[in-house]
C-alpha cells in the first residue's frame, strides 16, 4: 500500500467524504478581491474620520463594516449543512466524458452554489432545498481512475467572501476501452448471416408482412390470409481472444471492446480470453458488463513488470 505524501494527508484533513452534511470545522471563508477592496475602503474611511473628526466618515465606515459582517455570516450559512452525494455514471468509454452527478440537499432554499473540479464547473440554486448538477469530466484513458477533488463554494450575497468546502470520495471510476472497429473485420457483425431459412409453419398475417411471405394458396382455399413463418439459425457461440488481435495492447483491448458490443447486440453467446484471465461463454447484459470490466481492469504484462 502506497504511503500518502504530506500534501495528500493535509488534503484528507481538509476535505470531507460525500454523504454527510457540511460541518462548521470544514467550512472555510476566504476574502475575494472585491472583499479586500471593501476592507481597505472601510479602513481608509475610519482613518479619515479619526484624522479629521468627520462624523459622516465614521458612520459610513461602521455601516460598511456591519454590512460586510452580515454578508460574511449569510455566505457561511448558505453553505452550512448542505449534504452532497455523488451519482457515478453507468458507463464511461475512454476518450469520452464521465458525467458525474452531484446531488445537493440543503433542507432549506440555498442560492448560487458552485461546483468546481477537474477543470469543469457548474452552478445551481436550491429553491426547494435540493438540486443536482452534472460535471462532464474528461476520461482520456481506460482503467480505474480516482474521482477528482471537488470544491463546493458560494459567494452569495455580495461576493465579499468565498465560503467553500472540499469533497474527496474514495470511490473510483471504471473507464472502459474506446471501441475500435476493424477496417477489415474478421468476425461477423451484428445481424450478418442470420437470414430465416427453415420453414416453421403458418401464422396469421400482420400489417407490414412482405407479399412474398403471404400464403396466397391458403387464402384462396380458406379465405383467411396467413403468412409463412421461418425459424432462424442458432446464434454463434464464440471466443474473443486477445492473442488473435493485432497491434499494441491498447489497440487489442479497443478491438475486443467493439466486438463485445457487437456480439451483445447480435445476441451471441461469447467468452473472453485475456492473458491470465478467462471469462466463460455467456450472453445478455451481465456478460456484457463483466466482459467490459475485465477489459477495463486488464494490465498488459509489460505494465505488470513495471509495477513490480
Amino acid at each position: 500500500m502506497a504511503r500518502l505524501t504530506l500534501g495528500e494527508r493535509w488534503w484528507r484533513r481538509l476535505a470531507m467524504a460525500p454523504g454527510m452534511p457540511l460541518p462548521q470545522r470544514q467550512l472555510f471563508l476566504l476574502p475575494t478581491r472585491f472583499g479586500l477592496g471593501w476592507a481597505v475602503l472601510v479602513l481608509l474611511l475610519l482613518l479619515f474620520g479619526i484624522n479629521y473628526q468627520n462624523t459622516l466618515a465614521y458612520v459610513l465606515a461602521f455601516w460598511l463594516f456591519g454590512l460586510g459582517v452580515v454578508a460574511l455570516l449569510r455566505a457561511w450559512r448558505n453553505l452550512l449543512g448542505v449534504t452532497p452525494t455523488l451519482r457515478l455514471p453507468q458507463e464511461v468509454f475512454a476518450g469520452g466524458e464521465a458525467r458525474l452527478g452531484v446531488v445537493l440537499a440543503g433542507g432549506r432554499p440555498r442560492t448560487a452554489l458552485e461546483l468546481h473540479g477537474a477543470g469543469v464547473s457548474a452552478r445551481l440554486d436550491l429553491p426547494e432545498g435540493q438540486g443536482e448538477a452534472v460535471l462532464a469530466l474528461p476520461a482520456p484513458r481506460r482503467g480505474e481512475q480516482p474521482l477528482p477533488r471537488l470544491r463546493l463554494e458560494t459567494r452569495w450575497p455580495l461576493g465579499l467572501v468565498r465560503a467553500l468546502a472540499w469533497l474527496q470520495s474514495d470511490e473510483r471510476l471504471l473507464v472502459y476501452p474506446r471501441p475500435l472497429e476493424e477496417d477489415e473485420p474478421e468476425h461477423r457483425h451484428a445481424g450478418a448471416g442470420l437470414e430465416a431459412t427453415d420453414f416453421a409453419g403458418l401464422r396469421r398475417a400482420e400489417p407490414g408482412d412482405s407479399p412474398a411471405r403471404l400464403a396466397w394458396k391458403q387464402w384462396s382455399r380458406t379465405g383467411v390470409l396467413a403468412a409463412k413463418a421461418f425459424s432462424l439459425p442458432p446464434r454463434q457461440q464464440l471466443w474473443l481472444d486477445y492473442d488473435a488481435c493485432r497491434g499494441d495492447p491498447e489497440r487489442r483491448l479497443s478491438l475486443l471492446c467493439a466486438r463485445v458490443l457487437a456480439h451483445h447486440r447480435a445476441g451471441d453467446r461469447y467468452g473472453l480470453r485475456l492473458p491470465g484471465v478467462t471469462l466463460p461463454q455467456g450472453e445478455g447484459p451481465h456478460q456484457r458488463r463483466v466482459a467490459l470490466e475485465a477489459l477495463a481492469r486488464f494490465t498488459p504484462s509489460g505494465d505488470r513488470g513495471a509495477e513490480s
Side-chain angles (χ1 to χ4, degrees), residues 88-142:
L88 297 181
Q90 293 184 351
E91 287 189 349
V92 184
F93 293 90
E97 291 181 341
R99 299 185 64 81
L100 177 66
V102 184
V103 180
L104 301 178
R108 55 183 173 82
R110 312 286 177 135
T111 305
L113 301 182
E114 299 178 10
L115 275 166
H116 305 273
V120 295
S121 303
R123 185 182 185 277
L124 72 160
D125 298 321
L126 310 181
E128 298 180 358
Q130 186 167 347
E132 181 177 1
V134 177
L135 297 178
L137 305 177
R141 300 181 305 277
R142 71 167 183 90

Side-chain angles (χ1 to χ4, degrees), residues 14 22-29 75-82 152 163-166:
L14 291 181
L22 293 176
Q24 297 181 13
R25 65 179 181 277
Q26 287 178 298
L27 283 182
F28 302 91
L29 294 173
W76 179 73
R77 290 193 71 251
N78 193 39
L79 204 58
L80 180 66
V82 172
L152 177 61
L164 54 88
W166 284 276

Side-chain angles (χ1 to χ4, degrees), residues 188 191-198 230-236 266 268:
R188 176 176 61 80
L194 293 179
E195 297 181 357
T197 54
D198 297 333
F230 296 87
S231 62
L232 291 173
R235 298 287 187 177
Q236 288 195 24
D268 294 332

